[in-house]
Amino acid sequence: MKVRGRNYRTVWLDRKTLKMIDQTCLPHSFRVASFKKYFDVADAIRTMVVRGAPAIGAAAGFGLALAALSYRGRDAEELRDELASARAVLAGSRPTAYDLFDALDYVFSAKDECSVEKIKLRAATLAQQYADISVERCRRIGVHGARLIKSRSSVLTHCNAGALAAVDFGTALAPIRFAHKASKKLFVFVDETRPRCQGSRLTAWELAQEKIPHAVIADNAAGHYMRTGRVSLCIVGADRIALSGDVANKIGTYEKAVLAKENRIPFYVAAPVSTFDMNAISGDSIPIEERSPDEVTHIQGKNMNSVRVASPGSPALNPAFDVTPARYITGIITEKGVIRPNKAAIRGLARG
C-alpha cells in the first residue's frame, strides 16, 4: 500500500519486534506501533489498532511467533505449554474473524519441532510465510475481481476491506486498485460505516493515497444512489464465510445486500480461502461480536478526543457484524477465482 508515496505492509516482523500501522490514529496521523509481547498484540487486536480479518490473522500469527521468540528457557515441553497459553489469549481477542484462528493453527504447528531453537525458528518462519501467502492471495483477488469492473463503473463499498484490513492490497479494494491500475475510469462510493467509521476514516484515506476517485457517503444514502442508477456494483469484504455461502461482515452489510438485490445491482464479497469456516453450516453458526456501547454513543475525532453525541442516559446496542444470507450475494471473489455462494462451490474451493 502507498503511504505518502512509500510502500507499506499493515503488519510486519522486524527481528523480534512486531510493527503495525496504528489504525486508531488514522486518518489524522500516521503512526507505526511496536510490540514485543504476545499479550500486547492480543490487546492491539482487541482495541482495533489492527483490524480486518486477514490483518488480524497475520498479527495473531506474528504474536504467536513472539511468544516463541521471547521464551528464555531450554525446555521444549515448557515452550509448547507457553505457546498453547499464548494461542488461547490471542484466540480470545476477537471472536468473529476466522482468519485469526486459521493463522494461529498454522503457526502453532511449530510446536511439533524437537527442540527449543527449532520451535522458535519454525514459528517465526511460519508466521512470515502466512503473511506472505496472505499478500499473494489478496493480489490474486485483485486480478480476478478487476475483471468484474468495467470502465466508467461506480463501485459501492462498506467498511474497510483495503490493504489496512489485510497485509497488503486488501480484499474488496484489491479489485478496485487493479482496475484503477489498468486505467479503467471508475468512482467509489465509500459508506462511512458507523459506528467506528472505518469507511470514512480508513477506506477514504487509502483511496486518497492512491488517487482513486471517490466520495464518502452517509450509510443511509446508499439506497438513494442505488435506486437512482448511480451504483454499478457493490464489493465488500468478509470476516467469516459459512459453508452455506452466508457471510458475516461489518454491521450494515446485510441491508446493503438487500438493497442491491432490490435494485438488480451485482453484490460481490471478496475474501481469501482463509476466511471460509468449513465447520460453520450456515450464518447462524457464526458468533457475532458485541462491542462497547460507547462506540455508538460517542464520536472519536482528531487527537483521539471522544465526544458524546447520543442523549445522556440513553443506552445503546452495538453488534459489530451482521450476516448476509447467500441468496443476496452474486458471487465470492477468491484467490482461486469467482465462485457462487453455495456448498458445492465452497467445498470445491477447499479441495482445490
Side-chain angles (χ1 to χ4, degrees):
M1 122 182 73
K2 292 282 188 182
V3 181
R4 300 166 189 163
R6 178 182 168 187
N7 287 318
Y8 277 88
R9 284 188 171 187
T10 302
V11 294
W12 67 97
L13 191 64
D14 183 2
R15 297 181 183 178
K16 295 184 180 181
T17 302
L18 180 59
K19 307 274 191 175
M20 62 177 72
I21 296 172
D22 187 341
Q23 298 186 41
T24 64
C25 296
L26 293 170
H28 305 296
S29 63
F30 181 78
R31 173 178 175 266
V32 175
S34 299
F35 304 91
K36 292 183 179 293
K37 302 294 183 182
Y38 73 83
F39 43 82
D40 290 329
V41 175
D43 189 59
I45 294 171
R46 190 177 301 110
T47 59
M48 297 178 76
V49 171
V50 62
R51 30 80 36 216
I56 287 172
F62 282 131
L64 197 57
L66 288 181
L69 294 172
S70 62
Y71 176 72
R72 296 183 178 180
R74 297 183 177 181
D75 187 332
E77 195 58 41
E78 185 178 58
L79 175 53
R80 292 186 186 100
D81 291 341
E82 179 70 14
L83 285 176
S85 297
R87 181 191 191 189
V89 170
L90 289 160
S93 57
R94 294 196 72 186
T96 303
Y98 192 66
D99 295 69
L100 184 150
F101 306 98
D102 185 66
L104 289 174
D105 288 345
Y106 193 86
V107 179
F108 190 64
S109 65
K111 74 181 189 316
D112 297 331
E113 296 291 341
C114 60
S115 70
V116 167
E117 288 308 312
K118 287 185 177 181
I119 292 173
K120 288 185 175 185
L121 177 61
R122 186 62 175 160
T125 300
L126 287 175
Q128 186 60 58
Q129 192 175 86
Y130 189 90
D132 292 341
I133 289 171
S134 181
V135 170
E136 177 58 16
R137 284 171 170 169
C138 288
R139 187 193 70 79
R140 291 181 182 178
I141 286 171
V143 171
H144 293 303
R147 296 171 185 149
L148 302 170
I149 302 174
K150 298 177 181 177
S151 194
R152 302 190 183 281
S153 291
S154 292
V155 185
L156 184 135
T157 69
H158 189 69
C159 195
N160 172 261
L164 289 168
V167 183
D168 204 353
F169 295 111
T171 53
L173 287 196
I176 293 170
R177 289 180 194 277
F178 278 79
H180 177 71
K181 188 176 179 181
S183 299
K184 292 182 181 179
K185 294 184 182 300
L186 56 87
F187 183 85
V188 185
F189 287 101
V190 182
D191 283 351
E192 61 179 340
T193 323
R194 284 277 291 145
R196 290 188 66 94
C197 297
Q198 294 100 324
S200 59
R201 288 177 48 244
L202 305 178
T203 297
W205 181 82
E206 284 195 48
L207 294 172
Q209 294 293 318
E210 302 276 354
K211 295 181 171 53
I212 298 173
H214 68 282
V216 176
I217 62 171
D219 290 339
N220 290 339
H224 165 73
Y225 287 111
M226 290 189 199
R227 190 191 69 80
T228 54
R230 297 283 297 278
V231 177
S232 308
L233 72 162
C234 304
I235 307 179
V236 302
D239 284 81
R240 190 181 300 214
I241 301 175
L243 185 60
S244 62
D246 297 346
V247 170
N249 192 49
K250 183 56 58 182
I251 192 73
T253 302
Y254 171 44
E255 62 187 41
K256 302 302 183 295
V258 173
L259 284 167
K261 184 85 168 181
E262 171 67 19
N263 289 280
R264 299 181 181 179
I265 295 169
F267 188 93
Y268 290 98
V269 174
V273 173
S274 54
T275 303
F276 289 78
D277 182 358
M278 300 300 172
N279 295 315
I281 302 302
S282 72
D284 293 335
S285 307
I286 299 174
I288 300 299
E289 177 184 7
E290 289 276 348
R291 293 187 62 82
S292 169
D294 288 350
E295 293 180 352
V296 175
T297 58
H298 291 68
I299 287 286
Q300 180 181 300
K302 195 172 183 178
N303 300 322
M304 307 296 288
N305 293 327
S306 183
V307 178
R308 186 177 181 96
V309 292
S311 173
S314 294
L317 301 173
N318 188 20
F321 305 94
D322 59 24
V323 172
T324 300
R327 65 181 177 274
Y328 294 108
I329 299 167
T330 306
I332 304 174
I333 310 166
T334 77
E335 67 268 33
K336 298 183 179 181
V338 183
I339 66 166
R340 298 289 296 167
N342 58 47
K343 289 181 182 179
I346 292 171
R347 284 194 174 116
L349 188 70
R351 287 193 296 270

